[in-house]
Amino acid sequence: MFFTTSSSLLAVLLAIQVNAQSLIAWSGNACDGSEGADVVCNGTCIDFAGRHSYEVLGSSATVSFFVNSGCTGQKFTFGPDPPGECVNVNTGTSINSFTCI
């Protein structure tokens, strides 16, 4: 019984992890150029300086971009964006940080 319960719990945790939202930002306009790290979409403020596009992985995500670092200043919200779609961040101003959920 313990093995079955443990195995079931592990399967559920892995399924949740696979479906977790994450995002990769790129220096190019079409998810090309320098690739950033795969970051989890959990509402944390993340640096976006020098990036111009992103791709959502896992499941859809809503991304809020900010003119200033530290997720302050003018805010632009994109999404919800489906996974696997490249999104060019063209706001008419520099973007230096973002959050995603």
Side-chain angles (χ1 to χ4, degrees):
M1 179 67 178
F2 177 75
F3 178 75
T4 303
T5 304
S6 297
S7 297
S8 298
L9 180 59
L10 179 60
V12 168
L13 291 174
L14 288 174
I16 291 170
Q17 185 176 14
V18 168
N19 289 321
Q21 301 150 322
S22 64
L23 179 146
I24 296 176
W26 303 80
S27 64
N29 292 329
C31 294
D32 53 1
S34 175
E35 179 180 339
D38 182 350
V39 297
V40 177
C41 291
N42 62 5
T44 302
C45 185
I46 301 168
D47 180 52
F48 195 76
R51 304 292 175 183
H52 301 285
S53 60
Y54 67 93
E55 177 184 359
V56 174
L57 308 171
S59 60
S60 66
T62 299
V63 186
S64 294
F65 293 97
F66 299 86
V67 172
N68 300 328
S69 60
C71 295
T72 62
Q74 190 172 6
K75 177 181 175 180
F76 304 88
T77 302
F78 286 53
D81 297 308
E85 180 179 300
C86 180
V87 179
N88 177 275
V89 179
N90 186 0
T91 63
T93 187
S94 295
I95 298 295
N96 287 295
S97 58
F98 75 95
T99 62
C100 60
I101 52 171

